[in-house]
Amino acid sequence: MSSTEPVIRIADLPDRVGQTVTIRGWVTHLRSSGKIAFIVLRDGTGLLQCVVVKKEVDEASWETFGTLTLETSITVTGAVRADARQVGGVELGVTTLAVIGASPLDYPIQPKEHGVDFLLDHRHFWLRTPRQVAIMRIRNEIEQAIHDFFYERGFIRVDTPILTAAIGERSGLFSTEYFDEGNAYLAQTGQLYGEAAAAAFGKIYTFGPTFRAEKSKTRRHLTEFWMIEPEVAFNDTHANMQLQEDFVSFLVQRVVERRTAELAELERDISKLEKIRGPFPRIDYTDAVATLQKKGSAVQWGEDLGAEDESLLVEDYETPIFICNYPKEAKAFYMKENPADPRTVLCDDMLAPEGYGEIIGGSQREDDYDKLRHRIQEEGLPLDAYGWYLDLRKYGTFVHSGFGLGLERTVAWICGTPHIRECIPFPRMMHRLRP
RNA sequence: GGCCGCGUAGCUCAGCUGGUAGAGCAGGUGACUGUUAAUCACCGGGUCACAGGUUCGAGUCCUGUCGCGGUCGCCA
């Protein structure tokens, strides 16, 4: 292994045909036909077929080839040459070959089908496979696009606390001891803090992990997931939905433009993603219930919509849709009462197409001190814990709105994966805490 | 938590109305100078999740326990 040889990344090789380069990576596949042998090497940027011909390498390198196993990390040096049969159009004619780190023969992931439970037990290795690499690169693209979208529009990113006193929504909380302060809870949302920050900066967003201790066992739920929560001062519910529409369209088109290779690896139907541009239909909850009843659903006005109801509504559209203005009882205490129909609140759920369900929940926030205080009491929540939150309405209250986008659900939809657990590097679910 | 389903070789699975455990892949040895999950020959590999029951006999039927998956509810 020469330290003077420049180390090149596989993705850059098409520009280096004819040059001699050194690559470091992991053995992904091995084939041998006696005096000629093939190594498929992975370096995190792509795959490269390395051709080892006995007559063309030194004896030590040929013997080294014989010891190679799957996932051995190696250094190879050789000439880059064009070969139309290869992905990326190049292969490497090896001149020397050396092992960095050996890999025992019992490497568990084989180039074949495995069960999901087995793969999740070996998530640290599963992550190395082409499909998983593609998903994580798309996830990264979406994360970067989120930051770009908000930065270009003058939003400030605000990091909200993960350890909190009891505050937020009603669903299950993870708790831990916190010195002499009693229990601390892992945050289920950064929204309330986001509202405080909106009065400081005007337009903000949060980007962080959130935790739900519900015993949910579905393809759409994790106990730890990442959520993006914008909050905008002086935006009403209509401006809020416009922002959501622009935001989601931007994310999808960004992935379509920049991650075509990864979408191809996932065999995603890109034509379905290209249609994701505003406007998205805005359906009032009351109209949605009427439509559902016509379609044979048993749903009654006042009830929340079930997963089956959501699918029935989405099936008529190729873009995401909004369901707006749910009954007060079905939604959180902080949502603003609808002046046009006080039985309902100014809120919206965005449902993704193709059965991926709710990816956004948003609302205009209650900005009236007395109404909010009343709602907190109505829900049986401890008033004293919400003192600072009520203060936001006492000192210069302001119309404001925001929403929460579930990152993994968005990644799952854009990638077309059947289960959300593939869309986060190390998923946390009810029955899975490791690796 | 409710309902449905699964647990057999390292992995993926088959195993019928109960009759003494199978395949492919992976692994080992050998052959092969253009392979793309290479091919060919030969070889090793099992507490059928666990406990109890029915039976002459249980991987198979029954009960319980454990583990896991799907779905619903909750939500992003």
Side-chain angles (χ1 to χ4, degrees):
Chain A
M1 185 189 336
S2 164
S3 58
T4 56
E5 203 77 55
V7 175
I8 308 299
R9 306 202 359 133
I10 289 170
D12 298 329
L13 289 182
D15 298 331
R16 293 184 175 267
V17 172
Q19 299 180 20
T20 293
V21 300
T22 296
I23 305 278
R24 291 177 193 157
W26 291 263
V27 173
T28 300
H29 205 81
L30 286 167
R31 287 181 291 275
S32 166
S33 302
K35 309 261 184 327
I36 183 168
F38 304 90
I39 305 165
V40 176
L41 195 66
R42 180 190 75 249
D43 76 343
T45 71
L47 297 175
L48 174 68
Q49 171 159 286
C50 305
V51 185
V52 188
V53 179
K54 188 175 183 184
K55 286 191 298 193
E56 294 171 11
V57 297
D58 56 85
E59 204 171 317
S61 292
W62 183 253
E63 279 174 23
T64 298
F65 173 83
T67 70
L68 292 183
T69 55
L70 285 187
E71 294 301 323
T72 298
S73 50
I74 62 171
T75 298
V76 285
T77 299
V80 181
R81 59 189 181 223
D83 187 310
R85 289 167 295 188
Q86 305 308 324
V87 176
V90 295
E91 64 176 18
L92 194 75
V94 175
T95 50
T96 62
L97 166 66
V99 169
I100 299 169
S103 175
L105 284 166
D106 55 1
Y107 183 75
I109 308 264
Q110 300 164 15
K112 56 164 294 206
E113 296 289 325
H114 292 285
V116 170
D117 200 44
F118 177 84
L119 289 170
L120 283 171
D121 282 340
H122 299 86
R123 183 60 169 164
H124 50 304
F125 293 140
W126 189 20
L127 228 30
R128 301 179 180 190
T129 62
R131 182 183 161 81
Q132 299 304 311
V133 167
I135 293 170
M136 291 309 144
R137 283 186 175 277
I138 290 172
R139 179 184 168 109
N140 176 252
E141 187 68 48
I142 292 169
E143 290 178 336
Q144 189 60 50
I146 288 166
H147 293 306
D148 292 347
F149 178 88
F150 288 124
Y151 188 86
E152 285 162 14
R153 282 165 181 73
F155 285 64
I156 298 288
R157 178 179 173 185
V158 173
D159 298 321
T160 54
I162 290 167
L163 291 168
T164 64
I167 196 162
E169 297 171 21
R170 290 164 293 185
S171 37
L173 291 160
F174 288 107
S175 69
T176 182
E177 279 179 38
Y178 196 78
F179 306 112
D180 297 330
E181 297 290 316
N183 281 332
Y185 301 92
L186 296 183
Q188 302 180 301
T189 172
Q191 178 204 314
L192 307 195
Y193 299 99
E195 290 183 49
F201 306 107
K203 298 194 276 190
I204 67 96
Y205 71 105
T206 71
F207 193 126
T210 49
F211 307 89
R212 304 274 166 96
E214 286 130 8
K215 294 184 174 177
S216 303
K217 293 198 303 181
T218 82
R219 69 181 73 194
R220 301 187 305 279
H221 287 86
L222 297 167
T223 54
E224 177 183 296
F225 65 97
W226 289 66
M227 187 151 68
I228 292 85
E229 297 181 284
E231 192 71 35
V232 182
F234 309 117
N235 257 16
D236 65 9
T237 191
H238 303 291
N240 192 33
M241 282 188 272
Q242 184 66 52
L243 180 64
Q244 292 167 42
E245 194 173 281
D246 293 345
F247 180 48
V248 169
S249 301
F250 179 85
L251 299 184
V252 173
Q253 295 316 318
R254 172 77 167 255
V255 172
V256 169
E257 283 162 25
R258 300 198 188 178
R259 296 270 74 99
T260 47
E262 286 79 6
L263 290 170
E265 170 69 36
L266 297 172
E267 297 178 315
R268 184 66 168 110
D269 183 348
I270 291 175
S271 70
K272 289 197 168 138
L273 297 178
E274 284 169 339
K275 291 173 184 159
I276 308 304
R277 299 177 190 276
F280 301 161
R282 301 181 184 188
I283 303 167
D284 197 84
Y285 167 86
T286 301
D287 297 333
V289 168
T291 302
L292 286 169
Q293 287 172 341
K294 264 182 230 156
K295 288 191 176 212
S297 168
V299 74
Q300 296 295 315
W301 199 99
E303 296 171 2
D304 204 355
L305 303 182
E308 206 174 311
D309 293 323
E310 291 185 355
S311 311
L312 283 173
L313 289 170
V314 167
E315 66 185 5
D316 299 329
Y317 302 95
E318 291 182 318
T319 67
I321 62 172
F322 291 107
I323 310 294
C324 339
N325 304 345
Y326 280 71
K328 196 179 285 180
E329 291 70 30
K331 290 290 173 182
F333 72 92
Y334 49 72
M335 296 184 179
K336 185 168 179 62
E337 186 178 284
N338 183 0
D341 181 358
R343 298 178 302 162
T344 63
V345 288
L346 298 174
C347 67
D348 66 272
D349 286 351
M350 187 194 288
L351 309 180
E354 300 175 71
Y356 281 89
E358 183 179 350
I359 55 170
I360 282 179
S363 68
Q364 186 169 331
R365 319 306 189 186
E366 183 55 76
D367 49 57
D368 182 275
Y369 183 92
D370 293 326
K371 281 184 174 164
L372 182 61
R373 188 188 154 93
H374 180 68
R375 285 291 289 136
I376 290 171
Q377 287 176 316
E378 222 171 43
E379 295 285 327
L381 298 167
L383 250 192
D384 54 333
Y386 293 90
W388 68 264
Y389 187 63
L390 280 162
D391 277 352
L392 301 176
R393 280 74 181 168
K394 187 171 173 185
Y395 299 94
T397 196
F398 57 115
V399 168
H400 59 292
S401 305
F403 61 92
L405 173 91
L407 180 63
E408 289 76 17
R409 286 185 181 179
T410 305
V411 174
W413 164 46
I414 294 175
C415 289
T417 65
H419 199 300
I420 194 175
R421 65 191 155 203
E422 278 186 279
C423 296
I424 185 168
F426 294 94
R428 292 292 174 259
M429 295 174 291
M430 199 176 142
H431 294 297
R432 190 162 293 279
L433 190 54
R434 50 181 69 88

